[in-house]
Structures are given as structure tokens and as C-alpha cells.
């Protein structure tokens, strides 16, 4: 029996972290939550993470900054963005850097599930 993949959820809003982690766990996956991009990057879970679900706008490092660090480190971790401000310019930038998804809040749980399926396929191919 294989160990379920870890989905790391990075959002400064605790209620969002709780809601998404509950959804992720309901799919039989493991969820870790982080209140900031810095906390995620400082964790020992980078190598274990199969996908990151991150807010765009957070105090300190933004989700786009997190994505850039992951790319610079060649981490190979797919990123799904969620944001209360789904601006086209930000969407284009995120997608151009390889984001798997870009969802405006509030979002449909099914949309997260569909993006997670794609991200986990990418992650499996990368590892």
C-alpha cells in the first residue's frame, strides 16, 4: 500500500487553510498547512510535497514569489493558486511560470479537485 501524497497549503487565512486541508484529506491525501510562504520554505517538507496550493497575496512573501523560489530551486512541485483578487495580469504571470491552476475565491471544491488531479499527475512524472 502506497503512502498518499502530501499537499502543502500555504495561506495566511486560517479558515481557508482549514477548509482546503479538510477537502484534501477527504480525497485520501495528506495535507500540511502553513501560514506563510516563508514557513513552508523553512519546513522540512519541501522534498515530500507533491503539490502546493497557495494564496497569491500574503504578508511577506507572495505566492508568486514562492513559485519563483521553487522554480529557482528546481523543486519540481506543481503549484495551484487561489486568490481573492483574480486579476488577468497576475493569472498570466502565474500560468507563464507553470502554475497548474489559478482560482478566484470563493472557489468550487470540484475545481480544486480537478487541478489537484493534474498536479499529482505532473508530480508523479517529475519524480
Amino acid at each position: 500500500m502506497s503512502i498518499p501524497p502530501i499537499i502543502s497549503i500555504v495561506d495566511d487565512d486560517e479558515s481557508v487553510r482549514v477548509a482546503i486541508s479538510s477537502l484534501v484529506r477527504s480525497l485520501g491525501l495528506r495535507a500540511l498547512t502553513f501560514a506563510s510562504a516563508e514557513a513552508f520554505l523553512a519546513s522540512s517538507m519541501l522534498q515530500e510535497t507533491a503539490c502546493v496550493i497557495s494564496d497569491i497575496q500574503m504578508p511577506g512573501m507572495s505566492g508568486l514569489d514562492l513559485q519563483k523560489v521553487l522554480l529557482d530551486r528546481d523543486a519540481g512541485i506543481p503549484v495551484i493558486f487561489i486568490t481573492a483578487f483574480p486579476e488577468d495580469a497576475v493569472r498570466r504571470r502565474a500560468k507563464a511560470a507553470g502554475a497548474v491552476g489559478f482560482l478566484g475565491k470563493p472557489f468550487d471544491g470540484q475545481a480544486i479537485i480537478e487541478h489537484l488531479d493534474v498536479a499529482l499527475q505532473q508530480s508523479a512524472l517529475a519524480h
Side-chain angles (χ1 to χ4, degrees):
M1 185 166 142
S2 64
I3 299 171
I6 292 174
I7 310 303
S8 290
I9 300 149
V10 183
D11 197 306
D12 58 311
D13 183 331
E14 183 180 10
S15 64
V16 173
R17 291 193 310 269
V18 168
I20 296 174
S21 66
S22 294
L23 174 64
V24 166
R25 283 195 296 277
S26 78
L27 300 172
L29 305 170
R30 293 182 292 164
L32 296 175
T33 61
F34 300 90
S36 69
E38 294 89 343
F40 171 64
L41 291 171
S43 79
S44 62
M45 300 313 296
L46 241 58
Q47 300 301 326
E48 308 294 322
T49 295
C51 176
V52 170
I53 299 174
S54 178
D55 192 4
I56 294 274
Q57 294 184 317
M58 299 179 282
M61 183 181 280
S62 75
L64 291 174
D65 293 336
L66 170 60
Q67 182 186 34
K68 182 176 180 346
V69 169
L70 293 174
L71 289 170
D72 289 348
R73 292 185 183 180
D74 200 23
I77 304 172
V79 179
I80 298 168
F81 285 114
I82 53 175
T83 181
F85 307 98
E87 300 162 6
D88 285 338
V90 175
R91 177 189 308 270
R92 283 193 299 274
R93 185 171 155 205
K95 291 288 210 171
V100 173
F102 189 96
L103 302 171
K105 296 177 185 176
F107 48 82
D108 182 336
Q110 188 59 39
I112 286 267
I113 293 168
E114 290 167 8
H115 289 302
L116 268 174
D117 286 342
V118 172
L120 292 174
Q121 289 172 9
Q122 282 185 8
S123 185
L125 292 174
H127 296 101

